[in-house]
PDB file of all heavy atoms in Angstrom:
ATOM      1  N   ALA A  94      29.489 111.599  77.036  1.00  0.00           N
ATOM      2  CA  ALA A  94      30.073 111.937  75.724  1.00  0.00           C
ATOM      3  C   ALA A  94      31.433 111.292  75.630  1.00  0.00           C
ATOM      4  O   ALA A  94      32.090 111.025  76.619  1.00  0.00           O
ATOM      5  CB  ALA A  94      30.184 113.396  75.579  1.00  0.00           C
ATOM      6  N   ASP A  95      31.774 110.868  74.419  1.00  0.00           N
ATOM      7  CA  ASP A  95      33.125 110.273  74.171  1.00  0.00           C
ATOM      8  C   ASP A  95      34.187 111.350  74.461  1.00  0.00           C
ATOM      9  O   ASP A  95      33.943 112.541  74.355  1.00  0.00           O
ATOM     10  CB  ASP A  95      33.208 109.892  72.703  1.00  0.00           C
ATOM     11  CG  ASP A  95      32.317 108.762  72.309  1.00  0.00           C
ATOM     12  OD1 ASP A  95      31.685 108.144  73.219  1.00  0.00           O
ATOM     13  OD2 ASP A  95      32.164 108.554  71.052  1.00  0.00           O
ATOM     14  N   ILE A  96      35.414 110.896  74.764  1.00  0.00           N
ATOM     15  CA  ILE A  96      36.564 111.722  74.947  1.00  0.00           C
ATOM     16  C   ILE A  96      37.389 111.452  73.639  1.00  0.00           C
ATOM     17  O   ILE A  96      37.852 110.349  73.498  1.00  0.00           O
ATOM     18  CB  ILE A  96      37.312 111.431  76.181  1.00  0.00           C
ATOM     19  CG1 ILE A  96      36.518 111.720  77.415  1.00  0.00           C
ATOM     20  CG2 ILE A  96      38.659 112.165  76.200  1.00  0.00           C
ATOM     21  CD1 ILE A  96      37.149 111.325  78.751  1.00  0.00           C
ATOM     22  N   ASP A  97      37.428 112.467  72.838  1.00  0.00           N
ATOM     23  CA  ASP A  97      38.156 112.403  71.527  1.00  0.00           C
ATOM     24  C   ASP A  97      39.310 113.364  71.558  1.00  0.00           C
ATOM     25  O   ASP A  97      39.096 114.532  71.537  1.00  0.00           O
ATOM     26  CB  ASP A  97      37.180 112.701  70.469  1.00  0.00           C
ATOM     27  CG  ASP A  97      37.723 112.278  69.059  1.00  0.00           C
ATOM     28  OD1 ASP A  97      38.898 112.054  68.956  1.00  0.00           O
ATOM     29  OD2 ASP A  97      36.928 112.260  68.120  1.00  0.00           O
ATOM     30  N   ILE A  98      40.511 112.891  71.634  1.00  0.00           N
ATOM     31  CA  ILE A  98      41.693 113.776  71.736  1.00  0.00           C
ATOM     32  C   ILE A  98      42.506 113.635  70.470  1.00  0.00           C
ATOM     33  O   ILE A  98      43.263 112.572  70.299  1.00  0.00           O
ATOM     34  CB  ILE A  98      42.517 113.422  73.014  1.00  0.00           C
ATOM     35  CG1 ILE A  98      41.639 113.552  74.263  1.00  0.00           C
ATOM     36  CG2 ILE A  98      43.701 114.346  73.045  1.00  0.00           C
ATOM     37  CD1 ILE A  98      42.274 113.105  75.490  1.00  0.00           C
ATOM     38  N   PRO A  99      42.585 114.641  69.684  1.00  0.00           N
ATOM     39  CA  PRO A  99      43.562 114.584  68.499  1.00  0.00           C
ATOM     40  C   PRO A  99      44.988 114.521  68.987  1.00  0.00           C
ATOM     41  O   PRO A  99      45.294 115.302  69.971  1.00  0.00           O
ATOM     42  CB  PRO A  99      43.246 115.867  67.817  1.00  0.00           C
ATOM     43  CG  PRO A  99      41.940 116.348  68.216  1.00  0.00           C
ATOM     44  CD  PRO A  99      41.752 115.828  69.659  1.00  0.00           C
ATOM     45  N   LEU A 100      45.874 113.774  68.439  1.00  0.00           N
ATOM     46  CA  LEU A 100      47.295 113.655  68.857  1.00  0.00           C
ATOM     47  C   LEU A 100      48.017 114.982  68.736  1.00  0.00           C
ATOM     48  O   LEU A 100      48.954 115.208  69.471  1.00  0.00           O
ATOM     49  CB  LEU A 100      47.957 112.502  68.293  1.00  0.00           C
ATOM     50  CG  LEU A 100      47.361 111.124  68.652  1.00  0.00           C
ATOM     51  CD1 LEU A 100      48.187 109.993  67.980  1.00  0.00           C
ATOM     52  CD2 LEU A 100      47.440 110.939  70.191  1.00  0.00           C
ATOM     53  N   ASP A 101      47.584 115.790  67.766  1.00  0.00           N
ATOM     54  CA  ASP A 101      48.281 117.057  67.609  1.00  0.00           C
ATOM     55  C   ASP A 101      48.049 118.008  68.692  1.00  0.00           C
ATOM     56  O   ASP A 101      48.571 119.131  68.813  1.00  0.00           O
ATOM     57  CB  ASP A 101      48.073 117.731  66.244  1.00  0.00           C
ATOM     58  CG  ASP A 101      46.597 117.976  65.993  1.00  0.00           C
ATOM     59  OD1 ASP A 101      45.743 117.784  66.833  1.00  0.00           O
ATOM     60  OD2 ASP A 101      46.303 118.411  64.785  1.00  0.00           O
ATOM     61  N   GLU A 102      47.007 117.641  69.579  1.00  0.00           N
ATOM     62  CA  GLU A 102      46.777 118.509  70.812  1.00  0.00           C
ATOM     63  C   GLU A 102      47.465 118.020  72.107  1.00  0.00           C
ATOM     64  O   GLU A 102      47.525 118.709  73.042  1.00  0.00           O
ATOM     65  CB  GLU A 102      45.241 118.310  71.085  1.00  0.00           C
ATOM     66  CG  GLU A 102      44.675 119.429  71.941  1.00  0.00           C
ATOM     67  CD  GLU A 102      43.179 119.247  72.175  1.00  0.00           C
ATOM     68  OE1 GLU A 102      42.433 118.910  71.121  1.00  0.00           O
ATOM     69  OE2 GLU A 102      42.724 119.409  73.245  1.00  0.00           O
ATOM     70  N   VAL A 103      48.214 116.895  71.863  1.00  0.00           N
ATOM     71  CA  VAL A 103      48.925 116.286  73.105  1.00  0.00           C
ATOM     72  C   VAL A 103      50.354 116.977  73.166  1.00  0.00           C
ATOM     73  O   VAL A 103      51.122 116.904  72.182  1.00  0.00           O
ATOM     74  CB  VAL A 103      48.968 114.798  72.966  1.00  0.00           C
ATOM     75  CG1 VAL A 103      49.760 114.228  74.183  1.00  0.00           C
ATOM     76  CG2 VAL A 103      47.635 114.182  72.966  1.00  0.00           C
ATOM     77  N   LEU A 104      50.685 117.497  74.323  1.00  0.00           N
ATOM     78  CA  LEU A 104      51.985 118.053  74.543  1.00  0.00           C
ATOM     79  C   LEU A 104      52.902 116.996  75.147  1.00  0.00           C
ATOM     80  O   LEU A 104      54.076 116.965  74.648  1.00  0.00           O
ATOM     81  CB  LEU A 104      51.776 119.190  75.558  1.00  0.00           C
ATOM     82  CG  LEU A 104      52.959 120.142  75.809  1.00  0.00           C
ATOM     83  CD1 LEU A 104      53.324 120.879  74.510  1.00  0.00           C
ATOM     84  CD2 LEU A 104      52.609 121.184  76.827  1.00  0.00           C
ATOM     85  N   SER A 105      52.460 116.215  76.028  1.00  0.00           N
ATOM     86  CA  SER A 105      53.289 115.157  76.625  1.00  0.00           C
ATOM     87  C   SER A 105      52.516 114.015  77.152  1.00  0.00           C
ATOM     88  O   SER A 105      51.285 114.111  77.357  1.00  0.00           O
ATOM     89  CB  SER A 105      54.173 115.721  77.772  1.00  0.00           C
ATOM     90  OG  SER A 105      53.350 116.089  78.841  1.00  0.00           O
ATOM     91  N   VAL A 106      53.232 112.867  77.322  1.00  0.00           N
ATOM     92  CA  VAL A 106      52.496 111.647  77.861  1.00  0.00           C
ATOM     93  C   VAL A 106      53.464 111.040  78.924  1.00  0.00           C
ATOM     94  O   VAL A 106      54.753 111.054  78.700  1.00  0.00           O
ATOM     95  CB  VAL A 106      52.141 110.688  76.717  1.00  0.00           C
ATOM     96  CG1 VAL A 106      53.394 110.251  75.936  1.00  0.00           C
ATOM     97  CG2 VAL A 106      51.427 109.447  77.218  1.00  0.00           C
ATOM     98  N   SER A 107      52.914 110.507  79.981  1.00  0.00           N
ATOM     99  CA  SER A 107      53.773 109.902  80.988  1.00  0.00           C
ATOM    100  C   SER A 107      52.954 108.878  81.880  1.00  0.00           C
ATOM    101  O   SER A 107      51.736 108.736  81.657  1.00  0.00           O
ATOM    102  CB  SER A 107      54.382 110.922  81.953  1.00  0.00           C
ATOM    103  OG  SER A 107      53.432 111.547  82.758  1.00  0.00           O
ATOM    104  N   ASP A 108      53.603 108.362  82.847  1.00  0.00           N
ATOM    105  CA  ASP A 108      52.916 107.472  83.856  1.00  0.00           C
ATOM    106  C   ASP A 108      52.702 108.182  85.164  1.00  0.00           C
ATOM    107  O   ASP A 108      52.316 107.514  86.142  1.00  0.00           O
ATOM    108  CB  ASP A 108      53.813 106.190  84.104  1.00  0.00           C
ATOM    109  CG  ASP A 108      55.115 106.543  84.738  1.00  0.00           C
ATOM    110  OD1 ASP A 108      55.475 107.730  84.871  1.00  0.00           O
ATOM    111  OD2 ASP A 108      55.830 105.623  85.115  1.00  0.00           O
ATOM    112  N   THR A 109      52.845 109.516  85.166  1.00  0.00           N
ATOM    113  CA  THR A 109      52.673 110.290  86.415  1.00  0.00           C
ATOM    114  C   THR A 109      51.424 111.285  86.270  1.00  0.00           C
ATOM    115  O   THR A 109      51.352 111.936  85.318  1.00  0.00           O
ATOM    116  CB  THR A 109      53.920 111.102  86.714  1.00  0.00           C
ATOM    117  OG1 THR A 109      54.981 110.194  86.822  1.00  0.00           O
ATOM    118  CG2 THR A 109      53.796 111.881  88.024  1.00  0.00           C
ATOM    119  N   ALA A 110      50.596 111.196  87.252  1.00  0.00           N
ATOM    120  CA  ALA A 110      49.409 112.096  87.310  1.00  0.00           C
ATOM    121  C   ALA A 110      49.488 112.951  88.502  1.00  0.00           C
ATOM    122  O   ALA A 110      50.038 112.584  89.548  1.00  0.00           O
ATOM    123  CB  ALA A 110      48.125 111.244  87.362  1.00  0.00           C
ATOM    124  N   GLN A 111      49.031 114.175  88.327  1.00  0.00           N
ATOM    125  CA  GLN A 111      49.039 115.100  89.446  1.00  0.00           C
ATOM    126  C   GLN A 111      47.573 115.450  89.880  1.00  0.00           C
ATOM    127  O   GLN A 111      46.791 115.758  89.085  1.00  0.00           O
ATOM    128  CB  GLN A 111      49.729 116.486  89.043  1.00  0.00           C
ATOM    129  CG  GLN A 111      49.863 117.307  90.274  1.00  0.00           C
ATOM    130  CD  GLN A 111      50.915 118.442  90.066  1.00  0.00           C
ATOM    131  OE1 GLN A 111      51.799 118.248  89.315  1.00  0.00           O
ATOM    132  NE2 GLN A 111      50.725 119.557  90.726  1.00  0.00           N
ATOM    133  N   CYS A 112      47.310 115.187  91.182  1.00  0.00           N
ATOM    134  CA  CYS A 112      45.981 115.468  91.697  1.00  0.00           C
ATOM    135  C   CYS A 112      46.172 116.197  92.968  1.00  0.00           C
ATOM    136  O   CYS A 112      46.845 115.770  93.866  1.00  0.00           O
ATOM    137  CB  CYS A 112      45.254 114.156  91.913  1.00  0.00           C
ATOM    138  SG  CYS A 112      43.614 114.298  92.647  1.00  0.00           S
ATOM    139  N   LEU A 113      45.527 117.358  93.080  1.00  0.00           N
ATOM    140  CA  LEU A 113      45.621 118.236  94.266  1.00  0.00           C
ATOM    141  C   LEU A 113      47.026 118.523  94.681  1.00  0.00           C
ATOM    142  O   LEU A 113      47.408 118.337  95.783  1.00  0.00           O
ATOM    143  CB  LEU A 113      44.793 117.564  95.398  1.00  0.00           C
ATOM    144  CG  LEU A 113      43.344 117.256  95.176  1.00  0.00           C
ATOM    145  CD1 LEU A 113      42.765 116.540  96.275  1.00  0.00           C
ATOM    146  CD2 LEU A 113      42.584 118.592  94.910  1.00  0.00           C
ATOM    147  N   LYS A 114      47.883 118.785  93.712  1.00  0.00           N
ATOM    148  CA  LYS A 114      49.265 119.208  93.905  1.00  0.00           C
ATOM    149  C   LYS A 114      50.163 118.003  94.335  1.00  0.00           C
ATOM    150  O   LYS A 114      51.224 118.192  94.802  1.00  0.00           O
ATOM    151  CB  LYS A 114      49.448 120.352  94.806  1.00  0.00           C
ATOM    152  CG  LYS A 114      48.742 121.522  94.217  1.00  0.00           C
ATOM    153  CD  LYS A 114      49.030 122.805  95.069  1.00  0.00           C
ATOM    154  CE  LYS A 114      48.307 123.992  94.423  1.00  0.00           C
ATOM    155  NZ  LYS A 114      48.575 125.223  95.028  1.00  0.00           N
ATOM    156  N   ILE A 115      49.631 116.807  94.287  1.00  0.00           N
ATOM    157  CA  ILE A 115      50.409 115.666  94.739  1.00  0.00           C
ATOM    158  C   ILE A 115      50.639 114.811  93.419  1.00  0.00           C
ATOM    159  O   ILE A 115      49.638 114.484  92.769  1.00  0.00           O
ATOM    160  CB  ILE A 115      49.670 114.806  95.783  1.00  0.00           C
ATOM    161  CG1 ILE A 115      49.422 115.610  97.026  1.00  0.00           C
ATOM    162  CG2 ILE A 115      50.460 113.552  96.080  1.00  0.00           C
ATOM    163  CD1 ILE A 115      48.511 114.950  98.053  1.00  0.00           C
ATOM    164  N   LYS A 116      51.858 114.413  93.184  1.00  0.00           N
ATOM    165  CA  LYS A 116      52.180 113.625  92.037  1.00  0.00           C
ATOM    166  C   LYS A 116      51.997 112.142  92.372  1.00  0.00           C
ATOM    167  O   LYS A 116      52.529 111.713  93.448  1.00  0.00           O
ATOM    168  CB  LYS A 116      53.622 113.908  91.512  1.00  0.00           C
ATOM    169  CG  LYS A 116      53.661 115.209  90.875  1.00  0.00           C
ATOM    170  CD  LYS A 116      54.975 115.481  90.117  1.00  0.00           C
ATOM    171  CE  LYS A 116      54.925 116.819  89.534  1.00  0.00           C
ATOM    172  NZ  LYS A 116      55.527 116.870  88.235  1.00  0.00           N
ATOM    173  N   HIS A 117      51.359 111.386  91.447  1.00  0.00           N
ATOM    174  CA  HIS A 117      51.176 109.966  91.667  1.00  0.00           C
ATOM    175  C   HIS A 117      51.792 109.234  90.415  1.00  0.00           C
ATOM    176  O   HIS A 117      51.518 109.686  89.304  1.00  0.00           O
ATOM    177  CB  HIS A 117      49.756 109.580  91.768  1.00  0.00           C
ATOM    178  CG  HIS A 117      49.034 110.345  92.880  1.00  0.00           C
ATOM    179  ND1 HIS A 117      49.020 109.757  94.116  1.00  0.00           N
ATOM    180  CD2 HIS A 117      48.265 111.423  92.889  1.00  0.00           C
ATOM    181  CE1 HIS A 117      48.268 110.573  94.918  1.00  0.00           C
ATOM    182  NE2 HIS A 117      47.851 111.599  94.254  1.00  0.00           N
ATOM    183  N   THR A 118      52.495 108.218  90.666  1.00  0.00           N
ATOM    184  CA  THR A 118      53.076 107.403  89.557  1.00  0.00           C
ATOM    185  C   THR A 118      52.485 105.977  89.682  1.00  0.00           C
ATOM    186  O   THR A 118      52.445 105.438  90.759  1.00  0.00           O
ATOM    187  CB  THR A 118      54.614 107.351  89.562  1.00  0.00           C
ATOM    188  OG1 THR A 118      55.085 108.669  89.514  1.00  0.00           O
ATOM    189  CG2 THR A 118      55.141 106.617  88.420  1.00  0.00           C
TER     190      THR A 118
END
Side-chain angles (χ1 to χ4, degrees):
D95 295 346
I96 295 175
D97 192 344
I98 303 169
L100 292 180
D101 61 3
E102 198 179 319
V103 178
L104 192 60
S105 67
V106 60
S107 73
D108 64 353
T109 302
Q111 186 162 333
C112 179
L113 302 175
K114 299 185 181 187
I115 300 171
K116 289 191 180 219
H117 302 274
T118 301

